Every structure is written in C-alpha cells, then in structure tokens.
Amino acid sequence: MAQPTNTARDRAGEALFSRRPRPLTSLPALAERGLVGADNLTELDSVTRQFSVAVTADLAALIDPHDPQDPIALQFIPDPRELEQHALDISDPIGDATHSPVTGIVHRYPDRVLLLPVRVCAVYCRFCFRRETVGPNEAAGLTRAELSAALDYIRRHEEIWEVILSGGDPLLLSPRRLQDIMAALDEIDHVRVVRIHTRLPVADPGRVSQSLINSLASEKTVYLLLHTNHPRELTPEVLASCARLAAAGITLLSQTVLLKGVNDDARTLEVLFRKLVEHQIKPYYLHHCDRAPGTAHFRTTLAEGQAIMRQLRGRLSGLCLPEYVLDIPGGNGKVPVGPEWLDSSGAVLDYLGARHTYPE
C-alpha cells in the first residue's frame, strides 16, 4: 500500500469526525436513555467507580431498553454483578505485565509483539481482560519518549516479524499519530506484518474516515482484526466502514469472545460468522472468556464452547470457522481448545459424532 497524500476531502472528513456524538459515559446519561433503572443506581455507581463506562450513540441505538437480556446491553451497560468477587478472577489474566520489557510493549511470543500506544477505547466492554488498565482515568497513551523507546525495542529485536497495534483501541489515535507509527514501522526491515486490533468500526463506524484509512497505508502487509460478538452489531453503517477499509487493501479478520447470554449458542454464531464472510471478513479467533475481575457471569465452560464448535463444524463452511482459543492464565500463551476429532481408540469422529476407523 503506497503512502497517500492528504487532501481537502480528508480534512473535511476530519472536521466531520470531530462532530461525532459524544458517548454516554455517566449513569445519568444512561438513565436518560432508559438504559439503566433507578433501582440499582447505588451498586452501579460502585461499578462505574471501579471500571470505565462508555457507550457510543451507534451501539446505544441498537439496545432494546425493555429487554433485560438484550445482547448489546449485556456487553456494554454496567451490571451490579461486576462487583462480585470470585476465586478464579485474576488481575491481568493473560499476563501482559509478565512479558512487558518496556512500557507499551508485550513480547510474549518470539516473532511478534504487541505495541500498546493508547489506553482508551470508544466503548468499554464489560468483559474486557484489560478492564483494570484502560479508561479515561488511565494515562491516555504513550508519551513521545515511551513510544520512541518501544520502537527502539522493536528495532533491536530482529526476530520480530509482526507488530500488533492494540490497547485500548489504536484507531482512536489521530490520523497523524497513526501515520507516524506506521511510517516508523515501515523503516524496520525485519517487521513484515502489521496487525491492528480494533472495535472502532463497530462502536463508531462514522469515525472510520478516509484520512484515518489513509493513515494506515504501509509498505508492510496490513491486517485489521475487528472485534464483534453478535450479528446485530453488523449494521449497514458498520459494514460500509469495513468495506472502505477493504477497498484500501487492508485484509480484514475478526475476533469474537464467547459470552454467556450473548452468543453462547451455535445459531447466533452461525449468523455472525456467515455475515462476516459475506462481507470479506474472515473469522479468526473465538476467544474463551478470560478470568478478569467481575466477569464470571459471562464465562461458559470449555466443554460448552467445544460443544458449540462441534455443532458449527457441520453447519458452516471452513471459511466461516474461527479457531476456539484460550489464553492460559498467567501469561503462558494462547492455545487451541476446540473439540477433539480423534478419540482415545484411534477412531475418527465426524461432525455428527459417529465413529469411523482409520487404519494406518
């Protein structure tokens, strides 16, 4: 992807971007929209003091305030159950700190690193595994000196083949700052792939302006991983923003978190994954929900997740099937935890569960 020049159209898009509706970030704002009731405001106030809240206008418009089990509301509206403490909850459940040699870098695997330039998001998921380290009360992003040190680390480590921009949501950076980061990575010869993890096209598709897309131009191969959990999130506006990214030569993948009450059934995931593939977005990961504090009500068992994946295997094209993965607590890495198709006797199971011999 060649570096584009800024145009008057880009600047006009940024002016429009600055006029986007502000997200709902307080209990009074949520109550005014009918998204929280008056019966548990005291508990919810305790939740919002501990964990950040932001709900964009686009996502708020998708919520049915009369449905207590609305799958969009469950993901973004604060819930008193977030105050419950469970023995299995872990602060920093995937062990970012264990593998952070310098501020803003997580180097868990030899050939790739996370670069975390920003600690804020357009919307705060109630199940986020970084929920204790993101939000408006955190440092908004890396300082100039911290970013320089993080890039120096990548330059020194020639084994790094892929850089993953995450956060927070890296697409909340200004196009100028994003372009600076992409340009710096362009100059590092051993970095061949840049991957961007984002929720922004779902949370606020109008912010995916042409100047933002232009800022992602790179001589490297660029992938964008879209976080989406329910088919209702894929509105025409969301899909149009993804189409703009794809038209710029960015390969789109998706990641989904398996969430109790939101998408823990084969039919919901089938609709989601089919719709993604129909719009040039390859489902990449289905994450088992991490053990972040206050998220126990979202977690399924591994056996439940495996049963869902077994059902999907027989119903979906392989193009639509993500890998079901678990981040081993404590920073020990991500592993596939999908169903087994070879039993202890050496027989092969088909998607209906029938056993077949396979002599070797």
Side-chain angles (χ1 to χ4, degrees):
M1 297 166 58
Q3 292 282 356
T5 58
N6 287 329
T7 65
R9 180 180 176 184
D10 296 339
R11 291 190 290 273
E14 286 312 293
L16 178 63
F17 164 77
S18 67
R19 296 195 295 269
R20 298 291 300 161
R22 295 183 64 83
L24 308 175
T25 58
S26 68
L27 288 179
L30 293 171
E32 185 177 349
R33 292 289 297 270
L35 300 178
V36 296
D39 54 338
N40 54 6
L41 287 180
T42 300
E43 287 181 298
L44 290 179
D45 182 65
S46 297
V47 173
T48 61
R49 290 175 185 275
Q50 189 168 350
F51 303 116
S52 298
V53 175
V55 184
T56 59
D58 292 83
L59 287 171
L62 297 180
I63 295 172
D64 178 357
H66 304 295
D67 180 5
Q69 300 303 314
D70 182 275
I72 309 300
L74 290 174
Q75 294 183 70
F76 305 114
I77 303 302
D79 188 311
R81 289 176 293 180
E82 295 176 54
L83 298 174
E84 297 174 3
Q85 297 183 358
H86 291 262
L88 294 177
D89 290 352
I90 306 171
S91 185
D92 188 17
I94 70 169
D96 281 347
T98 304
H99 298 283
S100 184
V102 298
T103 300
I105 291 286
V106 178
H107 196 173
R108 182 176 287 108
Y109 304 100
D111 73 334
R112 54 204 182 274
V113 295
L114 290 173
L115 173 59
L116 310 174
V118 65
R119 288 288 184 176
V120 293
C121 297
V123 63
Y124 293 105
C125 303
R126 310 319 303 164
F127 48 86
C128 178
F129 63 90
R130 292 196 180 113
R131 64 197 323 237
E132 295 181 296
T133 60
V134 297
N137 294 327
E138 306 297 326
L142 297 181
T143 65
R144 187 179 297 273
E146 289 170 337
L147 179 58
S148 178
L151 291 168
D152 282 343
Y153 179 89
I154 295 170
R155 293 185 186 101
R156 292 195 308 271
H157 288 263
E158 296 186 1
E159 73 275 20
I160 296 173
W161 174 82
E162 179 183 22
V163 173
I164 303 166
L165 298 182
S166 188
D169 196 318
L171 293 193
L172 286 185
L173 291 170
S174 70
R176 178 187 59 79
R177 290 193 65 194
L178 272 172
Q179 193 166 40
D180 288 346
I181 292 172
M182 297 299 283
L185 294 175
D186 265 352
E187 295 174 356
I188 304 174
D189 186 63
H190 56 266
V191 173
R192 308 306 300 164
V193 174
V194 177
R195 192 194 324 171
I196 300 159
H197 287 186
T198 183
R199 191 78 144 127
L200 189 67
V202 165
D204 197 350
R207 293 179 73 157
V208 184
S209 65
Q210 191 58 48
S211 57
L212 177 65
I213 294 170
N214 289 348
S215 73
L216 304 178
S218 174
E219 298 300 325
K220 312 298 184 183
T221 299
V222 179
Y223 290 85
L224 185 142
L225 228 70
L226 178 73
H227 177 183
T228 180
N229 296 324
H230 195 277
R232 274 177 46 200
E233 297 171 23
L234 301 181
T235 65
E237 293 77 15
V238 169
L239 295 173
S241 74
C242 292
R244 294 195 295 272
L245 289 159
I250 297 171
T251 301
L252 301 181
L253 308 171
S254 72
Q255 56 183 346
T256 295
V257 183
L258 184 62
L259 299 168
K260 184 181 293 185
V262 174
N263 60 15
D264 60 330
D265 64 276
R267 178 57 183 164
T268 298
L269 292 177
E270 177 183 355
V271 174
L272 173 64
F273 297 152
R274 283 188 191 278
K275 194 167 187 179
L276 287 166
V277 170
E278 289 166 7
H279 290 85
Q280 297 181 276
I281 306 168
K282 170 71 178 82
Y284 183 56
Y285 279 145
L286 176 64
H287 293 275
H288 191 73
C289 190
D290 295 306
R291 292 176 173 174
T295 64
H297 55 290
F298 283 115
R299 296 198 289 264
T300 67
T301 65
L302 285 169
E304 288 168 337
Q306 290 170 338
I308 291 170
M309 288 301 296
R310 190 178 294 280
Q311 292 177 64
L312 292 175
R313 170 63 63 178
R315 292 156 64 161
L316 290 176
S317 160
L319 289 172
C320 301
L321 288 173
E323 187 157 48
Y324 181 36
V325 294
L326 168 72
D327 261 301
I328 303 173
N332 296 295
K334 191 181 282 91
V335 294
V337 289
E340 295 290 338
W341 301 97
L342 193 67
D343 72 14
S344 57
S345 70
V348 180
L349 303 177
D350 64 27
Y351 71 91
L352 297 173
R355 298 172 72 255
H356 306 271
T357 59
Y358 186 75
E360 293 189 276

